[in-house]
Amino acid sequence: MPPPADIVKVAIECPGAFPKLMEIDQVSQPGLWRASPSPARGHFPSCVGAAKWTLANHESFALQHADSSNFYITEKVWLWSGGGAVLGWAGNGASRMFQLHERIQSSSMDAKLEALKDLASYSRDITFAQEFINLDGISLLTQMVESGTDFGDMLSFTLTAFVELMDHGIVSWDTFSVAFIKKIASFVNKSAIDISILQRSLAILESMVLNSHDLYQKVAQEITIGQLIPHLQGTDQEIQTYTIAVINALFLKAPDEKRQEMANILAQKQLRSIILMHVIRAQRAINNEMAHQLYVLQVLTFNLLEDRMMTKMDPQDQAQRDIIFELRHIAFDLEGEHNNSGGSIEKRKSMYTRDYKKLGFINHVNPAMDFTQTPPGMLALDNMLYFAKHHQDAYIRIVLENSCREDKHECPFGRSSIELTKMLCEILKVGELPSETCNDFHPMFFTHDRSFEEFFCICIQLLNKTWKEMRATSEDFNKVMQVVKEQIMRALTTKPSSLDQFKSKLQNLSYTEILKIRQSERMNQEDFQSRPILELKEKIQPEILELIKQQRLNRLVEGTCFRKLNSRRRQDKFWYCRLSPNHKVLHYGDLEESPQGEVPHDSLQDKLPVADIKAVVTGKDCPHMKEKGALKQNKEVLELAFSILYDSNCQLNFIAPDKHEYCIWTDGLNALLGKDMLSDLTRNDLDTLLSMEIKLRLLDLENIQIPDAPPPIPKEPSNYDFVYDCN
């Protein structure tokens, strides 16, 4: 018979004695966690006497986890842990914090250093942090930094403790003085500074910018891009990551009218080429956090195009009309075949109309009307002019080639450019906020100052080539655009390192090759629709679903590392969650770093019985997605968010590392609750496994004897000269 839900088992140890296993009734012994408003000051409990502990002044003691976290037991932490933990006695949070507060102000440098070292460690515990903040500890730390008397390890521990305390979100960032900001900025601006101090200083500046508009303005006055550039030219990838994070934060929070100005400064300082040389092409792997920051920078850079993308052309604006006239001039007038002088006005109008038709505009009389739709607005015209000026030969060839074809077979350059620009903006998600979980940056966009325009130039030539390969007519326009999009997406998935390599990948993805790929995929997804096949599917589907369910539960048993998301993205904030082998308990807990393999159950201090789970919610229904702020409203984050609701008003919040893990966990949790698995991954797996099983069952095996034992493994060949590396 299982024990009552109110009974929890813990092991309590004391220095010099063996741990004792205890059963505690949370209902009849509530004083263990609820003796006073401040959990760390709690009076500990009647169960001590029952266990025959002899602790004088027991009110001066508190329970904390005996593992490396040393987190204090509070009502919240206890409810999450669900028992099964090893606990130890320690001085309660209040008394220990008073002592630490006094030691920090000691005149002895050694004592002060040890106190700051302890504070940097203990500040990760929110209970401990709350007590220190209540003693006005944040002000004490800022005064120490402003005084400028601390340096080396002492300053490093001070800044570390400050970062940990602020990460709990208890204190507002708006409370800090200009003197403190100037001091932190001075550490970043120094040419020679301790790595740990520089790292913490960059992290603090990033948080200030992201969390306060007033602080953004003050930080922007103290820090210039030129002062940050040298940190990118070093060899420490962590410093480079924090430096790009600060640049991204300044970029993200800059007012709209200043973003283009900042982009111009970045171009003048050659930020792109420095990142390409010292980060992307450095002789080391790019970690996930760096990949994320490069992705954010890529998105913010492309978002500068949003203004032009959403700007309609004014048909009455002569300057804008002159751009269209220049396109006509480059295509038809450079060789002198058209002479603009002479002839009547009507004759010139007729000539312009004919030329605009050859250029592929929908409105031949007034092509400015083609650019009144947003997106892509004026961005399409900008791309066309860039192509005409910087790739003049290719531009003239495309226009003249199509002007010589029959009307129905010509590839309309104007219309194609407008639709292609719109497509590229959708692919690169121009105008959307960067995702907090995405690492999808493309190295090739860091190889050119006008990477989007060059991207367009390559793709418009691809579109013309594909049009000819498909022998398309004007009725096939949408089909051609679909094929071109598939070619671009397939080439991008290979992550080409340069625009030339991207162009080479597209050359190999001809229309014929796309047809072969589609045919192969269609054969793999072949679906038989006859009644006997459908009946067979219906019969074996429950077996397949059970197989998928077991796979999902096995993956939950293996567990997943999740990243903690807060106001400032930090790469040392991870937590791990896994299901117990008996499928009855979820074990989870914080990690110092991303694990290389599975994390043992006993190292995860918190537990949640599956029986206590009331519901699983996703997306906008998640409690942590209902909070205010741009971070929580990001569409991609919403698509990866899910929460477990348990007890009354308690929840465990997740943001999956990717869509695959999201599907695995939501399917697995629904399976635990006896509900249907409804994810896209389950549908795909079900289709694939059903197709394989049906094909196996339909094999013609008449008069073929199937052996009971597998065939023997053949001997290794004497050499491998026949092996060919396709890569």
Side-chain angles (χ1 to χ4, degrees):
M1 180 177 178
D6 297 325
I7 301 296
V8 293
K9 294 182 179 182
V10 295
I12 299 181
E13 63 181 12
C14 198
F18 289 106
K20 294 186 179 180
L21 182 65
M22 298 172 53
E23 289 188 358
I24 299 174
D25 189 334
Q26 298 180 88
V27 175
S28 64
Q29 295 172 319
L32 183 56
W33 349 104
R34 306 186 182 99
S36 76
S38 175
R41 296 178 182 175
H43 294 281
F44 293 88
S46 59
C47 62
V48 175
K52 298 182 180 179
W53 292 102
T54 55
L55 293 173
N57 301 319
H58 64 266
E59 67 273 6
S60 300
F61 290 89
L63 287 173
Q64 65 179 184
H65 281 283
D67 59 17
S68 59
S69 71
N70 291 326
F71 286 173
Y72 275 94
I73 292 296
T74 67
E75 182 174 2
K76 184 177 181 181
V77 172
W78 184 260
L79 287 173
W80 282 0
S81 66
V86 178
L87 310 177
W89 291 110
N92 72 37
S95 61
R96 180 176 286 191
M97 193 55 70
F98 275 120
Q99 296 169 6
L100 197 57
H101 195 270
E102 291 176 359
R103 287 165 54 205
I104 289 172
Q105 302 174 75
S106 170
S107 57
S108 168
M109 290 295 103
D110 291 340
K112 187 175 182 179
L113 179 62
E114 284 301 314
L116 288 169
K117 183 178 180 181
D118 289 343
L119 179 64
S121 174
Y122 297 149
S123 294
R124 293 181 296 117
D125 184 351
I126 189 170
T127 307
F128 208 80
Q130 182 68 70
E131 291 294 333
F132 186 76
I133 290 169
N134 289 343
L135 294 174
D136 207 18
I138 292 288
S139 295
L140 175 61
L141 294 181
T142 56
Q143 289 168 13
M144 291 169 60
V145 172
E146 289 174 18
S147 68
T149 57
D150 295 337
F151 52 88
D153 288 343
M154 196 172 293
L155 179 57
S156 176
F157 288 132
T158 302
L159 295 177
T160 301
F162 178 84
V163 169
E164 294 290 352
L165 290 167
M166 292 303 297
D167 266 356
H168 294 299
I170 300 171
V171 179
S172 170
W173 283 94
D174 287 310
T175 58
F176 299 108
S177 66
V178 174
F180 180 71
I181 298 170
K182 286 179 177 290
K183 199 67 182 178
I184 296 297
S186 70
F187 300 144
V188 174
N189 293 336
K190 285 182 180 178
S191 57
I193 189 75
D194 182 84
I195 291 294
S196 60
I197 295 174
L198 176 59
Q199 181 195 88
R200 271 66 167 186
S201 299
L202 288 167
I204 292 170
L205 291 177
E206 181 196 0
S207 291
M208 286 179 173
V209 172
L210 291 177
N211 289 285
S212 169
H213 178 69
D214 290 340
L215 289 186
Y216 155 74
Q217 294 177 321
K218 294 171 183 175
V219 171
Q221 291 172 359
E222 299 297 327
I223 294 290
T224 65
I225 300 300
Q227 291 164 331
L228 293 172
I229 292 293
H231 301 313
L232 292 173
Q233 295 172 318
T235 57
D236 189 305
Q237 188 171 119
E238 199 165 1
I239 294 298
Q240 292 175 326
T241 303
Y242 277 103
T243 302
I244 297 177
V246 172
I247 294 173
N248 286 339
L250 291 168
F251 214 148
L252 186 63
K253 293 299 180 179
D256 292 342
E257 65 274 9
K258 287 191 176 181
R259 282 187 188 169
Q260 188 59 57
E261 179 185 335
M262 186 174 175
N264 295 336
I265 294 173
L266 295 179
Q268 291 172 8
K269 298 295 182 182
Q270 298 184 319
L271 177 71
R272 178 197 58 76
S273 58
I274 289 172
I275 290 176
L276 182 66
M277 181 183 300
H278 295 279
V279 178
I280 297 176
R281 291 182 178 173
Q283 298 300 314
R284 60 173 181 269
I286 294 177
N287 60 35
N288 287 337
E289 184 66 18
M290 174 61 85
H292 171 76
Q293 295 299 345
L294 291 173
Y295 153 79
V296 172
L297 182 59
Q298 172 185 294
V299 171
L300 294 176
T301 303
F302 284 144
N303 280 355
L304 293 171
L305 303 169
E306 183 182 12
D307 182 55
R308 294 294 283 175
M309 181 181 76
M310 301 307 295
T311 299
K312 294 182 179 181
M313 186 171 187
D314 181 2
Q316 307 304 319
D317 189 318
Q318 188 58 44
Q320 295 178 359
R321 292 169 63 89
D322 286 345
I323 298 176
I324 298 177
F325 187 80
E326 188 171 1
L327 289 173
R328 192 205 69 82
H329 171 73
I330 294 173
F332 302 114
D333 289 352
L334 289 184
E335 299 298 327
E337 60 267 27
H338 288 348
N339 189 346
N340 292 331
S341 61
S344 66
I345 294 176
E346 290 299 323
K347 185 176 180 181
R348 286 204 301 272
K349 281 186 177 180
S350 174
M351 180 180 67
Y352 290 164
T353 299
R354 185 179 69 250
D355 290 347
Y356 290 146
K357 183 177 183 298
K358 291 180 180 179
L359 280 170
F361 291 112
I362 297 174
N363 192 317
H364 308 152
V365 177
N366 186 7
M369 299 301 297
D370 288 12
F371 299 96
T372 55
Q373 179 187 0
T374 58
M378 289 294 292
L379 183 60
L381 188 57
D382 295 342
N383 284 338
M384 293 168 69
L385 184 62
Y386 181 90
F387 181 51
K389 284 187 172 182
H390 294 83
H391 300 270
Q392 197 173 95
D393 292 343
Y395 167 69
I396 294 174
R397 185 182 69 251
I398 287 176
V399 172
L400 295 184
E401 268 185 10
N402 287 290
S403 65
C404 295
R405 295 178 187 157
E406 295 180 44
D407 286 351
K408 68 175 185 177
H409 282 289
E410 68 176 10
C411 176
F413 174 73
R415 181 186 176 192
S416 298
S417 298
I418 292 169
E419 290 301 319
L420 179 62
T421 300
K422 182 178 179 181
M423 179 200 296
L424 298 184
C425 288
E426 291 172 355
I427 291 173
L428 298 177
K429 299 181 180 178
V430 174
E432 293 187 18
L433 284 173
S435 165
E436 269 298 317
T437 57
C438 185
N439 302 330
D440 188 25
F441 84 98
H442 294 277
M444 71 178 191
F445 291 130
F446 290 85
T447 62
H448 201 284
D449 289 328
R450 304 288 295 273
S451 57
F452 184 81
E453 290 86 346
E454 289 292 325
F455 186 42
F456 169 84
C457 293
I458 293 171
C459 293
I460 192 65
Q461 294 178 74
L462 167 73
L463 193 155
N464 190 64
K465 172 175 171 285
T466 303
W467 184 283
K468 289 189 289 185
E469 291 173 346
M470 294 178 66
R471 295 174 181 164
T473 63
S474 54
E475 289 80 9
D476 300 321
F477 185 86
N478 291 333
K479 292 180 182 178
V480 175
M481 295 303 295
Q482 290 173 3
V483 173
V484 169
K485 184 174 184 178
E486 185 174 347
Q487 290 170 314
I488 294 170
M489 294 298 292
R490 289 185 182 278
L492 285 176
T493 56
T494 65
K495 292 294 180 71
S497 60
S498 66
L499 290 164
D500 287 339
Q501 194 176 93
F502 173 69
K503 191 173 183 179
S504 176
K505 297 282 185 185
L506 291 176
Q507 291 293 333
N508 296 328
L509 285 169
S510 64
Y511 176 58
T512 303
E513 185 63 25
I514 291 294
L515 288 179
K516 289 180 182 178
I517 294 172
R518 286 180 174 180
Q519 179 66 20
S520 175
E521 291 176 349
R522 194 178 298 115
M523 289 179 65
N524 292 334
Q525 298 172 358
E526 187 175 353
D527 190 16
F528 301 102
Q529 296 298 324
S530 64
R531 178 179 291 181
I533 299 299
L534 293 176
E535 290 176 356
L536 179 59
K537 272 188 175 184
E538 188 176 343
K539 180 179 179 181
I540 64 179
Q541 183 166 315
E543 301 174 24
I544 302 297
L545 283 172
E546 182 62 27
L547 181 64
I548 294 173
K549 174 183 174 181
Q550 291 304 317
Q551 188 272 340
R552 299 294 192 264
L553 294 177
N554 289 341
R555 280 287 291 106
L556 263 61
V557 171
E558 292 175 14
T560 300
C561 179
F562 297 92
R563 185 183 295 276
K564 284 190 172 183
L565 294 181
N566 53 20
S567 57
R568 180 176 59 80
R569 185 184 173 96
R570 295 184 60 208
Q571 61 187 92
D572 58 347
K573 294 292 183 179
F574 298 94
W575 68 288
Y576 199 89
C577 187
R578 62 180 299 182
L579 181 66
S580 62
N582 63 6
H583 299 173
K584 291 185 177 181
V585 179
L586 284 172
H587 299 261
Y588 61 97
D590 292 342
L591 300 176
E592 291 297 323
E593 57 185 6
S594 181
Q596 299 303 314
E598 290 186 22
V599 176
H601 292 96
D602 52 10
S603 66
L604 302 173
Q605 67 270 24
D606 300 324
K607 298 179 183 178
L608 173 61
V610 172
D612 291 348
I613 298 177
K614 306 299 182 186
V616 176
V617 294
T618 61
K620 293 181 179 179
D621 296 328
C622 297
H624 58 315
M625 291 293 107
K626 294 178 181 178
E627 300 172 14
K628 294 181 180 179
L631 172 68
K632 303 302 181 185
Q633 301 303 320
N634 185 280
K635 185 173 71 173
E636 290 193 36
V637 175
L638 283 174
E639 292 175 352
L640 299 176
F642 61 98
S643 297
I644 296 174
L645 307 182
Y646 63 97
D647 291 342
S648 57
N649 299 324
C650 293
Q651 67 270 340
L652 190 59
N653 298 321
F654 299 76
I655 294 181
D658 51 50
K659 192 66 177 177
H660 182 267
E661 286 297 321
Y662 170 85
C663 293
I664 290 290
W665 274 86
T666 52
D667 283 344
L669 292 171
N670 281 325
L672 286 173
L673 299 178
K675 297 180 179 180
D676 293 336
M677 299 178 292
L678 303 174
S679 73
D680 294 338
L681 184 62
T682 292
R683 286 195 292 272
N684 292 337
D685 288 349
L686 180 61
D687 291 342
T688 301
L689 293 173
L690 272 176
S691 176
M692 290 172 58
E693 184 67 20
I694 287 173
K695 288 177 180 178
L696 286 172
R697 295 196 182 197
L698 294 178
L699 284 175
D700 185 6
L701 299 178
E702 188 176 354
N703 299 324
I704 298 177
Q705 185 175 1
I706 301 176
D708 296 329
I713 299 175
K715 294 180 180 179
E716 290 191 16
S718 58
N719 63 69
Y720 290 88
D721 294 344
F722 56 88
V723 175
Y724 177 74
D725 186 359
C726 296
N727 296 325

